[in-house]
C-alpha cells in the first residue's frame, strides 16, 4: 500500500532544491538529455505540460539512504518539512537512479555525493501542518522532530495519509493479483463492517481502480460515456459487491466498471437505470421526478461499452433486483 516518505527540507541545500526543482519543475527537455526515450515518453504521458517536479537523495553515509529509496513505489506520498511544520506534499510517479542528471540539477554536496536517487512527483500540495499535529496522528511523542530522509512502514503511513487526506486517486501502488486475492480472503467475513473506515478494503479498491484507470488522470464513465478526471470516477461493481461470491470478486476484469460520481454511479446502484442487451434502460419499476426523468432520458438507449458476453451475467443480476 502507499507509504509516506519523510523529507526534512530545512537545510540550505534542500531549501534550494525545493525551490529549483519542485516549485519550478524541471522541463522534460532537460531530462531528455539524460534519460531514455522510453522513460521520457512515460513522463510525457503523466506531465502534459512537460514540467516535472523532481527530487533526489544522496546515497548517504554507508549508503544508508539507498535501501530506504529502494522501498519507494508509485503512489507513495512525500511530505516536506521545515521550521516545525509539514509545508508540502507530493505523490511519487516514477523513480530512477542517475548520477549525471542529479549533478546537473543539484551539483554535489560537501562530501562529494550527489542526489542521484531521483524520484519524480506530481500533485504537489501546500500544507501548514504543525509537527505536534503530525506527531499525534502518527503516535509519536509530542516533541518528536522529523530528522532525515525516511520511508515509513505501511501502518504508520496509513494513519498519516488518512489523517491529512494525502492519498492520491491517480497514482496507485502496484498490487499483484495474489495480494488482491489474499485481501479478499482475509476480509471475506467482514463485509458488514465499515471497511473503509477501518482502512481495510483499501487494497482491494486500489487494485480495482488500477485495473480500470492504470494511473491515468482522465477516464470514461461506462454509463454516460463522458470523460472525467479519475477522482470523479469510481470502480463500481456491476453486481453488488456484498452479493458477489469469492469467484465473482476474483473475476475482477468483468465485475467492475468505471462510473461517474456525477450521477451514474448512484443511478445504477439504486436501480434507476439498468443495462439490457448492452443498452442503458430506464427502470419502469422506479418512480421518477420530472428532473430525474430529464437526466435519465439523456443517457437512455445509449450503448454501454462494458456489456459483453463476460459481463452479461452481472448486468442481468443487476436488472433482476
Ligand atoms: Zn456517467
Amino acid at each position: 500500500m502507499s507509504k509516506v516518505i519523510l523529507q526534512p527540507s530545512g537545510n540550505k541545500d534542500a531549501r534550494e532544491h525545493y525551490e529549483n526543482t519542485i516549485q519550478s519543475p524541471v522541463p522534460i527537455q532537460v531530462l531528455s538529455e539524460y534519460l531514455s526515450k522510453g522513460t521520457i515518453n512515460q513522463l510525457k504521458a503523466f506531465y502534459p505540460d512537460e514540467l516535472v517536479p523532481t527530487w533526489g537523495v544522496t546515497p548517504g553515509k554507508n549508503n544508508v539512504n539507498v535501501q530506504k529509496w529502494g522501498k519507494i513505489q508509485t503512489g507513495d506520498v512525500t511530505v516536506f518539512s521545515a521550521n516545525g511544520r509539514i509545508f508540502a506534499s507530493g505523490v511519487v510517479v516514477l523513480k530512477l537512479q542517475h548520477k549525471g542528471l542529479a549533478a546537473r540539477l543539484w551539483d554535489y554536496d560537501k562530501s562529494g555525493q550527489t542526489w542521484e536517487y531521483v524520484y519524480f512527483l506530481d500533485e504537489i500540495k501546500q500544507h501548514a501542518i504543525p509537527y505536534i499535529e503530525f506527531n499525534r496522528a502518527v503516535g509519536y511523542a509530542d516533541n518528536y522532530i522529523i530528522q532525515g530522509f525516511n520511508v515509513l512502514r505501511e501502518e504508520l503511513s496509513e494513519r498519516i495519509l488518512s489523517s491529512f487526506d494525502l492519498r492520491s486517486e491517480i497514482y496507485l501502488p502496484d498490487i499483484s493479483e495474489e495480494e488482491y486475492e489474499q485481501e479478499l480472503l482475509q476480509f471475506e467475513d467482514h463485509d458488514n463492517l465499515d471497511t473503509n473506515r477501518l482502512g481495510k478494503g483499501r487494497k482491494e479498491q486500489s487494485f480495482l481502480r488500477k485495473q480500470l484507470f492504470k494511473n491515468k488522470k482522465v477516464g470514461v464513465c461506462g454509463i454516460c460515456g463522458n470523460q472525467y478526471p479519475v477522482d470523479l470516477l469510481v470502480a463500481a461493481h456491476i453486481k453488488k459487491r456484498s452479493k458477489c461470491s469469492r469467484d465473482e470478486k476474483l473475476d475482477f476484469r468483468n465485475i467492475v466498471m468505471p462510473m461517474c460520481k456525477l450521477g451514474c454511479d448512484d443511478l445504477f446502484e439504486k436501480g434507476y437505470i439498468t443495462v439490457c442487451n448492452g443498452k442503458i434502460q430506464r427502470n419502469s419499476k422506479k418512480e421518477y421526478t420530472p428532473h430525474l426523468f430529464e437526466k435519465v432520458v439523456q443517457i437512455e438507449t445509449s450503448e454501454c461499452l462494458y456489456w459483453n458476453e463476460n459481463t452479461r451475467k452481472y448486468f442481468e443480476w443487476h436488472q433482476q433486483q
Side-chain angles (χ1 to χ4, degrees):
M1 290 305 289
S2 299
K3 297 179 291 301
V4 168
I5 303 162
L6 301 180
Q7 198 67 77
S9 320
N11 68 34
K12 186 171 166 285
D13 280 341
R15 278 200 316 269
E16 282 177 9
H17 295 182
Y18 189 85
E19 273 172 33
N20 296 340
T21 58
I22 300 279
Q23 249 173 4
S24 313
V26 181
I28 280 195
Q29 215 185 337
V30 173
L31 300 176
S32 66
E33 291 172 33
Y34 299 88
L35 308 179
S36 72
K37 229 180 182 161
T39 309
I40 292 298
N41 285 340
Q42 244 181 315
L43 288 171
K44 278 184 179 168
F46 293 126
Y47 303 92
D49 58 0
E50 307 208 348
L51 295 170
V52 186
T54 305
W55 195 257
V57 293
T58 59
K61 212 172 173 186
N62 302 321
N63 287 333
V64 63
N65 291 335
V66 178
Q67 201 200 353
K68 293 177 186 171
W69 178 86
K71 291 187 211 158
I72 295 178
Q73 284 180 312
T74 302
D76 288 350
V77 178
T78 297
V79 296
F80 293 97
S81 60
N83 304 321
R85 63 200 175 97
I86 309 283
F87 67 90
S89 69
V91 179
V92 175
V93 176
L94 218 69
K95 68 171 184 183
L96 48 88
Q97 185 196 4
H98 204 298
K99 216 169 178 170
L101 172 65
R104 158 82 178 265
L105 296 177
W106 306 298
D107 211 347
Y108 292 88
D109 71 6
K110 281 178 214 135
S111 63
Q113 294 191 335
T114 187
W115 291 263
E116 64 193 270
Y117 291 89
V118 175
Y119 57 91
F120 303 113
L121 295 168
D122 196 7
E123 300 185 83
I124 304 291
K125 289 183 195 153
Q126 308 303 314
H127 303 280
I129 304 167
Y131 279 171
I132 191 160
E133 240 179 79
F134 179 83
N135 291 341
R136 283 178 183 174
V138 195
Y140 288 161
D142 278 358
N143 59 358
Y144 178 79
I145 293 172
I146 299 173
Q147 279 169 339
F149 163 69
N150 208 354
V151 181
L152 298 182
R153 59 191 159 89
E154 287 188 5
E155 191 198 324
L156 289 184
S157 300
E158 188 69 27
R159 283 188 220 156
I160 298 167
L161 297 174
S162 297
S163 300
F164 303 108
D165 196 20
L166 298 174
R167 202 173 274 107
S168 172
E169 291 194 68
I170 297 170
Y171 300 103
L172 301 168
D174 288 318
I175 296 162
S176 66
E177 284 183 35
E178 288 72 28
E179 281 176 283
Y180 171 70
E181 194 169 344
Q182 238 175 24
E183 179 88 351
L184 288 180
L185 293 178
Q186 200 175 348
F187 298 114
E188 210 162 41
D189 305 326
H190 301 280
D191 279 350
N192 294 326
L193 296 177
D194 181 355
T195 49
N196 265 337
R197 195 173 58 82
L198 294 172
K200 309 277 196 285
R202 191 163 334 265
K203 205 176 257 184
E204 181 184 342
Q205 258 302 307
S206 288
F207 176 83
L208 294 173
R209 285 185 69 84
K210 193 149 191 175
Q211 292 295 319
L212 291 178
F213 305 127
K214 303 185 170 59
N215 291 343
K216 291 212 174 84
K217 290 181 178 176
V218 170
V220 174
C221 171
I223 298 288
C224 63
N226 292 340
Q227 273 200 347
Y228 290 114
V230 292
D231 57 359
L232 294 176
L233 293 167
V234 298
H237 281 74
I238 300 169
K239 177 173 177 180
K240 207 178 177 60
R241 185 191 174 282
S242 59
K243 303 289 181 199
C244 286
S245 68
R246 184 194 301 174
D247 282 347
E248 288 171 335
K249 285 181 201 158
L250 288 174
D251 188 15
F252 55 85
R253 286 184 184 85
N254 299 308
I255 196 72
V256 289
M257 65 186 267
M259 292 188 205
C260 73
K261 294 185 189 174
L262 281 85
C264 293
D265 180 36
D266 259 356
L267 288 174
F268 187 84
E269 197 195 325
K270 298 192 165 70
Y272 286 98
I273 51 173
T274 59
V275 175
C276 180
N277 287 324
K279 291 214 168 14
I280 315 289
Q281 268 194 346
R282 205 159 14 106
N283 183 351
S284 54
K285 288 182 245 163
K286 285 281 198 180
E287 291 210 16
Y288 292 77
T289 63
H291 284 117
L292 178 58
F293 186 79
E294 210 178 300
K295 171 105 191 156
V296 170
V297 161
Q298 287 172 19
I299 47 174
E300 203 183 9
T301 73
S302 61
E303 268 185 53
C304 172
L305 295 174
Y306 284 83
W307 191 91
N308 58 46
E309 279 313 309
N310 298 322
T311 56
R312 180 188 194 135
K313 56 179 188 267
Y314 302 128
F315 282 115
E316 283 174 354
W317 178 91
H318 175 260
Q319 224 186 334
Q320 284 153 14
Q321 299 312 298

